[in-house]
Amino acid sequence: MSRPITCIGAGVIGGGWAAYFLARGFDVVAWDPAPDAEARLRRTVDAAWPALTELGLDDGADRSRLRVAASLAEACAEAAFVQESAPEDLELKRGLLADLVAATGPDTIVASSTSGFPMTDMATEAADPSRLVVGHPFNPPYLIPLVEVAGGEATAPTVVKEAAEFYRSIGKSVIEMDRELPGFVANRLQEALWREALHMVANGEATVEQIDTAITEGPGLRWPVHGPCLTFHLAGGEGGMAHMLDHFGPSLKAPWTRLGAPELTGELRDAMVRGTTDEAGARSFADLVAERDRAVIAIRRAVEGARAG
Amino acid sequence: MSRPITCIGAGVIGGGWAAYFLARGFDVVAWDPAPDAEARLRRTVDAAWPALTELGLDDGADRSRLRVAASLAEACAEAAFVQESAPEDLELKRGLLADLVAATGPDTIVASSTSGFPMTDMATEAADPSRLVVGHPFNPPYLIPLVEVAGGEATAPTVVKEAAEFYRSIGKSVIEMDRELPGFVANRLQEALWREALHMVANGEATVEQIDTAITEGPGLRWPVHGPCLTFHLAGGEGGMAHMLDHFGPSLKAPWTRLGAPELTGELRDAMVRGTTDEAGARSFADLVAERDRAVIAIRRAVEGARAG
């Protein structure tokens, strides 16, 4: 791709994307209406560069290949791909995405970093909504691999596929959603935990520091290796997910969180067991335990090392 | 302590505790009514031993110092401390804890690994409930540092302090709760995420594998270093938690999860900002970003290494 990637928005997410695209060897053109946009972008890119260098820069990766345009039209003129990371405001996104579609060529994909708006809701003012897609990253976009890709009702299916393929080609881990869901997958999960935390602080049940400690010293040490489902599978001992659901099923009725649980139907139970078994694949229970143990030890040391500087 | 630690229950948690106490150089006496209890316990201890050895064994640590007793009374006869890890069944726990109190001396603390029952609900049949306390670990107890300590209405405050001190003295990270709450702190948070995951599978919104990927490739990579609150603080850029709450406040009303959010009052906002600032302490925003970046890189490498074997 010799045409540049266009990054709209100079905040934490927009700047993080710019840094990531630069590290992958692209030219990046950025735009943001704020007067201090260029200074903020360069500060974010500079802060990210040591981490990106540590992980390995692609051929041609160079911070000087970032250009800040004077207008949206100038930023979009030659764009191969547009990543929009404006504030989370539906009206603002609607107008901005319409402008981005108007300013780009008919083959240019315009992806939004929105944290939760379905594209169908954001695409209402665009002349050609077929090129609009959600490409939702996680902070910082230059380090966290996940990107959730989802189209709206008017998005061309090929655009969803191409966006997913583009992100994969630059090293991202992509979840391609086949339906629109506010908050997508990861924010649905993360937000449930976050809201429970807010309730606990609001009710004096735990302090901010206890909440963070509960995660960093507890389940947070398991999640990077196996995620919640495989983790739960291992907590069941050799009986795995099936044993856990049968054993802890009654706890689903207990007030362990403000979130009510779904009915644990035979169908849901089987879907969880089957999904977990599929995911484990060829790894035996003992393999998974050994993998988790190696990972938790390494993660604990990684965190200790990072905290020590 | 020359008297042994008593572990009640030969499941994943009971066996994991036994392995941890052995690695800390204690004699351990275990009991479980199941006929294959000894074989299961020794299998769990053997599986945990490489990880415990890697982390470092204390003086005198020896797997042969595990003895499986023929009865609850024999297991408790000389107990310095009892860790109960029976199945999560309230009636069973009530009877068992009463038996454990009856079988131990007046200076012996009896701690329950319960995942969520308040001690007040479990202590109803004990002759002396003052020695009963919750000491809730996370799986696997031999690797995850967190232990949540909470007393019931009849628990002596000194017992809560002594239990917390004992766990700290053997290398655990302790959250001492000053009130009873079903699910304590970590399970309240973890369970909210878990229930959202079950809802998503029940509704065909995401697969088990997509849910695990969303966490392992996404927010799960940040949680071991900073927890949800400090993570959110950094996502706010230099404006931190205050900016995030002001910016994403409206998203609290959005259906990003089935869990309703609390009203974001000025009081709650300020409590979150103050708590996060206190937790950050002397670390500047740039310090925290650098710490997170070092940690995420190291965590990614740790997980890759563990998966590769």
Side-chain angles (χ1 to χ4, degrees), chain B residues 143-184:
Chain B
L143 282 186
I144 304 291
L146 187 64
V147 179
E148 295 176 305
V149 175
E153 283 169 16
T155 305
T158 53
V159 164
V160 176
K161 293 280 165 215
E162 279 170 38
E165 189 41 51
F166 168 64
Y167 289 125
R168 282 193 197 102
S169 76
I170 59 169
K172 290 294 184 184
S173 299
V174 175
I175 292 183
E176 238 180 287
M177 295 187 64
D178 57 9
R179 64 155 90 182
E180 290 195 282
L181 198 64
F184 319 124

Side-chain angles (χ1 to χ4, degrees), chain B residues 10 31-38 40:
Chain B
W31 178 74
D32 185 298
D36 65 340
E38 175 147 9
R40 286 173 65 198

Side-chain angles (χ1 to χ4, degrees), chain A residues 12 43 47 51 54-55 87-88 115-116 138-140 142-146 173 175-177 179 181-206 208-230 232 234-238 241 245 247-248 251-262 268 271-272 275-276 279 289 291-303 305-307 309, chain B residues 12 43 47 51 54-55 87-88 115-116 138-140 142-146 173 175-177 179 181-206 208-230 232 234-238 241 245 247-248 251-262 268 271-272 275-276 279 289 291-303 305-307 309:
Chain A
V12 169
R43 207 157 58 227
E54 172 70 20
L55 284 172
E88 200 69 4
S115 299
F138 283 77
N139 189 55
Y142 58 87
L143 282 186
I144 304 291
L146 187 64
S173 298
I175 292 182
E176 238 180 289
M177 295 188 62
R179 63 154 91 180
L181 198 65
F184 319 124
V185 180
N187 268 343
R188 286 237 154 200
L189 301 167
Q190 175 173 244
E191 183 79 7
L193 186 155
W194 175 242
R195 290 184 186 190
E196 187 68 33
L198 289 175
H199 278 293
M200 293 188 81
V201 172
N203 285 279
E205 295 165 349
V208 166
E209 190 158 4
Q210 284 178 325
I211 286 164
D212 276 353
T213 299
I215 298 301
T216 60
E217 302 291 307
L221 292 167
R222 307 179 299 204
W223 281 326
V225 57
H226 280 155
C229 301
L230 267 188
F232 208 57
L234 293 195
E238 286 161 28
M241 178 64 77
L245 291 175
H247 179 61
F248 275 105
S251 296
L252 285 176
K253 306 292 182 199
W256 279 14
T257 156
R258 272 90 181 167
L259 179 53
L268 174 55
M272 293 304 299
T276 311
E279 192 181 340
V289 167
E291 179 178 86
R292 177 201 60 197
D293 286 6
R294 285 192 304 268
V296 170
I297 290 173
I299 290 163
R300 283 176 56 177
R301 287 181 174 157
V303 172
R307 287 195 182 129
Chain B
V12 169
R43 206 156 60 227
E54 171 70 20
L55 284 172
E88 199 69 3
S115 298
F138 283 76
N139 190 55
Y142 58 87
L143 282 186
I144 304 291
L146 187 64
S173 299
I175 292 183
E176 238 180 287
M177 295 187 64
R179 64 155 90 182
L181 198 64
F184 319 124
V185 180
N187 268 341
R188 286 236 152 200
L189 301 167
Q190 176 175 244
E191 183 80 6
L193 186 155
W194 175 243
R195 291 183 186 191
E196 188 67 34
L198 288 175
H199 278 293
M200 293 187 81
V201 172
N203 285 280
E205 295 165 349
V208 166
E209 190 158 5
Q210 283 179 325
I211 286 165
D212 277 352
T213 299
I215 299 299
T216 60
E217 302 291 307
L221 292 167
R222 306 179 300 203
W223 281 326
V225 57
H226 280 156
C229 302
L230 266 188
F232 208 58
L234 292 195
E238 287 161 28
M241 178 64 77
L245 291 175
H247 180 60
F248 276 105
S251 295
L252 285 175
K253 305 292 181 198
W256 278 15
T257 155
R258 271 89 180 168
L259 180 53
L268 173 56
M272 295 303 299
T276 311
E279 192 181 341
V289 167
E291 179 178 84
R292 177 201 60 199
D293 286 6
R294 285 193 304 268
V296 171
I297 290 173
I299 290 164
R300 283 176 56 177
R301 288 182 174 157
V303 173
R307 287 196 182 128

